[in-house]
Amino acid sequence: MSQSTLRQAGPATSRPRRRGTRDATSGWVALLWLGPALLLIGGVVVFPAVALVKASLSEYSITGLRKGPAGLDNYRHVIEHPALGTVLRTTAIWVVAVVILTMLISLALAQFLSKQFVGRRFVRWAIIVPWAASLIITARLFTLLLDYYHGIANTLLVALPFVDQPVDFLGDDRFTLASIVAVGVFVSVPFVTYVLLAGLNAIPDDVYEAARIDGAGPWQVYRRITLPLLAPALSVSTVLSIIYVFNSFPVVYTLNDRNPGFSHDTTITWMYKLAFKSAEKDVGMSAAAGVFNVLLILAAVAVYLRVTRGATQENQA
Amino acid sequence: MSAATQTSPVDQTRGTRPARRPASGPSRWRRVRPVVLPIVGLAVGLVFLAPYIVMLLDALRPSSDVLASPATFLPRRWQWDTFGTVLSDTRFLAWLRTSVVVATASTMVVLLVSVPAAYFTGRVRYPGRRLFLLVVLVTQMFSPTALVVGLYREFFELNLVNTYLAIILTNAAFNLAFAIWILQAFFASIPAEVEEAAELDGCGRLATMWRIMLPLTRPGIVTSVIFTFIAAWNEYVVALTLMQDDAKKPLTVGISSYVTGYQQHWDQLFAASLIAVVPVVILFAAIEKHLVGGLTAGSIK
């Protein structure tokens, strides 16, 4: 109820008098309202980030005790680590492949789910399940589904007339990354679909009406009206996907668990292994890798925003 | 109720659309459409449900059969008491309790902290407003996973390793950005007149927020609640690192001990997983309509 009033009232009346309805308030009043948020962000995001940077500049024993300053040694170790090249390549493939596939599939799915048909509810609820299930549970499930010996995927595959050998989805280097990407897409699609579905629902029907009266065909309507009006939802969900996929830990970590070395690790799982799993158990080096990670994601989002902003400006010009 | 108000206008126009353009759409498509779309929908739904259907069937067969080779779709032997076994397992109940406590508390902290900040940022111009929004945006990019080493060191020094508080604070802090972001857009979109009228009637700022603004932003609040709750319910890495005490682990971490190098209870792992999924799906389905509306206001401006 309140929702529809809000939507009708919002854009129409708030336009002439914009947000700045009040005079500037003094900093102290602002602190009162923002204080708790700043405290929480400061204490649990900024402080650990600083601790991370500090740890990255220190040397630690294998049991985690600080032994002394290390200068930039940890960073040097990260950059000179023999696995870094592979890890960066895997990370790039992982993020780009998962985000692009997710966006394409979700776009189609959202379009489909915005149509009216019998059983739409069922489909929408079904799509919620992979989102609601914890990533670690889904990842564990897929290690079993895709298993060489015990996986149902291989049972189905071998039943096909043209496949006679089971596929080692998670052990064979040719398939491992592709399998992990597939699971990554599977768990990312629901969220993005819902964001895009919300975006589609927000496009007023009279816009379509007008286009049709002007004689636009379905493809033209889609390209000239749906896509541009969906652009904000698309860019928001792309940015969020890049962040989530880049930072995604359980899927890559669990599906890759049985493989030795770092050949299918992204920077996040690599960092975790350096700190808690590998023979080195090097807190300092892992911290340096963590700092490296944060810088990478900031750079990736900045590049994406720059590129898309450039593209939209070109379109408008 | 709100579900009805929201869908019905859309449904009507969608339904009548083909009739309004008899020339452009082939009439054969119009006739097969009511059959084709549900079939495609069923297929799509099954693709997303299939892994979890296998999970259910795996929970209903003895653990040794889960690893049988070749795998069969239906259990060779049905084992109906797995769910009972899991639900009477005290360790499982302890993990379940932790998950409920942590997710609920994290959600409440997020609401308590984000609503004032979002209200103020959405309604008032103050020095440092843009800086605040930037800080919020940057925290969105940090993940607890990237900072886990720093988090561990901080809570270790504060003696908070192995406490609910550490996990609750972490979940709250990392989901704050999304909530502030969504709610801020909601507060900003409410016309100034509404607030001014309330003030003329003698409402203070706090009373205005509580009585007037909060009800108007309900979809945004529902969205923030569900997002935070699910994120906290499913959080894994921080709990894995900070909770070493078995009895205090949340479900995501705890259920891993059903399958270890020493003992393998795949049936119980999957039964426990399904029990963990069900409340979230129910919650989700209950607010699905609000969610679609809430996401819109936050993402499209």
Side-chain angles (χ1 to χ4, degrees), chain A residues 37-192:
Chain A
L38 289 174
L39 213 63
L40 198 55
I41 290 176
V44 191
V45 183
V46 178
F47 191 85
V50 173
L52 186 73
V53 172
K54 260 205 250 163
S56 74
L57 298 171
S58 312
E59 194 187 344
Y60 287 91
S61 73
I62 199 156
T63 48
L65 289 172
R66 189 172 183 276
K67 290 204 294 198
L72 290 174
D73 276 359
N74 288 318
Y75 289 92
R76 201 169 304 127
H77 288 155
V78 168
I79 290 174
E80 286 168 2
H81 197 283
L84 182 70
T86 325
V87 169
L88 281 179
R89 208 183 59 117
T90 309
T91 310
I93 297 175
W94 158 253
V95 173
V96 172
V98 173
V99 171
I100 289 181
L101 289 173
T102 302
M103 294 313 295
L104 290 177
I105 293 173
S106 305
L107 198 56
L109 212 53
Q111 195 72 40
F112 174 66
L113 287 178
S114 70
K115 303 252 180 295
Q116 184 65 28
F117 60 89
V118 180
R120 184 173 72 162
R121 263 233 131 163
F122 159 76
V123 186
R124 285 189 174 187
W125 287 6
I127 289 178
I128 282 169
V129 175
W131 186 7
S134 124
L135 285 181
I136 189 74
I137 290 174
T138 305
R140 276 216 102 138
L141 175 64
F142 270 99
T143 42
L144 195 65
L145 294 178
L146 298 175
D147 192 90
Y148 184 75
Y149 298 105
H150 323 297
I152 189 91
N154 270 318
T155 306
L156 294 174
L157 207 61
V158 175
L160 293 176
F162 46 89
V163 183
D164 49 337
Q165 279 292 315
V167 175
D168 195 357
F169 289 105
L170 301 175
D172 188 329
D173 279 348
R174 286 172 301 164
F175 301 112
T176 308
L177 189 53
S179 310
I180 300 177
V181 165
V183 178
V185 172
F186 179 82
V187 295
S188 309
V189 160
F191 170 75
V192 177

Side-chain angles (χ1 to χ4, degrees), chain B residues 93-121:
Chain B
L93 293 176
W95 299 328
L96 185 66
R97 215 192 57 178
T98 305
S99 280
V100 171
V101 168
V102 165
T104 313
S106 307
T107 311
M108 276 158 59
V109 172
V110 164
L111 273 191
L112 281 176
V113 169
S114 68
V115 167
Y119 167 75
F120 197 71
T121 307

Side-chain angles (χ1 to χ4, degrees), chain A residues 305-317:
Chain A
L305 288 177
R306 179 61 58 85
V307 168
T308 48
R309 193 163 300 160
T312 44
Q313 271 161 8
E314 249 166 59
N315 271 349
Q316 281 161 3

Side-chain angles (χ1 to χ4, degrees), chain B:
Chain B
M1 199 218 105
S2 70
T5 47
Q6 210 189 340
T7 47
S8 56
V10 177
D11 296 350
Q12 280 159 15
T13 43
R14 291 273 151 85
T16 51
R17 188 173 293 156
R20 273 187 216 154
R21 42 160 187 162
S24 63
S27 64
R28 189 145 60 112
W29 170 238
R30 238 197 309 156
R31 233 177 303 133
V32 295
R33 197 185 122 123
V35 184
V36 171
L37 286 188
I39 291 175
V40 176
L42 187 68
V44 169
L46 281 181
V47 165
F48 282 92
L49 283 183
Y52 303 96
I53 293 173
V54 175
M55 184 150 110
L56 174 65
L57 291 171
D58 275 350
L60 296 177
R61 68 184 102 196
S63 186
S64 54
D65 282 9
V66 173
L67 295 187
S69 182
T72 55
F73 182 64
L74 289 175
R76 293 192 181 89
R77 290 172 291 164
W78 292 85
Q79 174 189 291
W80 296 106
D81 59 348
T82 322
F83 285 92
T85 312
V86 169
L87 281 174
S88 56
D89 178 358
T90 49
R91 286 202 311 165
F92 175 81
L93 293 176
W95 299 328
L96 185 66
R97 215 192 57 178
T98 305
S99 280
V100 171
V101 168
V102 165
T104 313
S106 307
T107 311
M108 276 158 59
V109 172
V110 164
L111 273 191
L112 281 176
V113 169
S114 68
V115 167
Y119 167 75
F120 197 71
T121 307
R123 305 302 301 179
V124 182
R125 247 172 232 295
Y126 57 88
R129 186 174 161 274
R130 301 194 66 172
L131 181 72
F132 177 70
L133 282 173
L134 188 75
V135 168
V136 167
L137 205 77
V138 171
T139 44
Q140 175 83 49
M141 287 177 211
F142 283 42
S143 79
T145 318
L147 294 182
V148 72
V149 176
L151 280 168
Y152 184 82
R153 298 219 72 80
E154 177 181 2
F155 287 124
F156 183 77
E157 267 157 44
L158 292 173
N159 237 334
L160 286 177
V161 172
N162 263 330
T163 60
Y164 288 161
L165 187 64
I167 300 189
I168 291 168
L169 286 179
T170 311
N171 278 321
F174 284 95
N175 289 297
L176 197 59
F178 189 82
I180 292 182
W181 189 39
I182 290 260
L183 288 174
Q184 188 267 129
F186 261 95
F187 282 123
S189 72
I190 297 173
E193 288 81 358
V194 174
E195 208 179 1
E196 279 159 13
E199 235 149 81
L200 282 178
D201 291 346
C203 272
R205 182 163 281 171
L206 214 66
T208 314
M209 185 181 98
W210 187 251
R211 297 224 202 116
I212 314 290
M213 304 300 255
L214 275 189
L216 283 177
T217 49
R218 212 187 52 206
I221 288 174
V222 170
T223 308
S224 315
V225 165
I226 196 76
F227 266 70
T228 312
F229 189 87
I230 289 178
W233 183 264
N234 288 337
E235 201 285 322
Y236 176 68
V237 179
V238 172
L240 176 70
T241 320
L242 290 180
M243 273 298 185
Q244 276 121 24
D245 183 349
D246 189 64
K248 286 206 255 164
K249 285 175 178 168
L251 273 178
T252 45
V253 178
I255 57 174
S256 301
S257 51
Y258 280 123
V259 176
T260 63
Y262 304 106
Q263 49 163 0
Q264 303 209 320
H265 295 297
W266 286 98
D267 50 341
Q268 293 176 25
L269 172 74
F270 288 141
S273 305
L274 281 172
I275 297 171
V277 169
V278 168
V280 186
V281 174
I282 291 175
L283 195 64
F284 228 118
I287 58 100
E288 186 220 306
K289 289 294 169 201
H290 291 288
L291 190 67
V292 172
L295 279 168
T296 323
S299 60
I300 294 161
K301 288 225 49 208

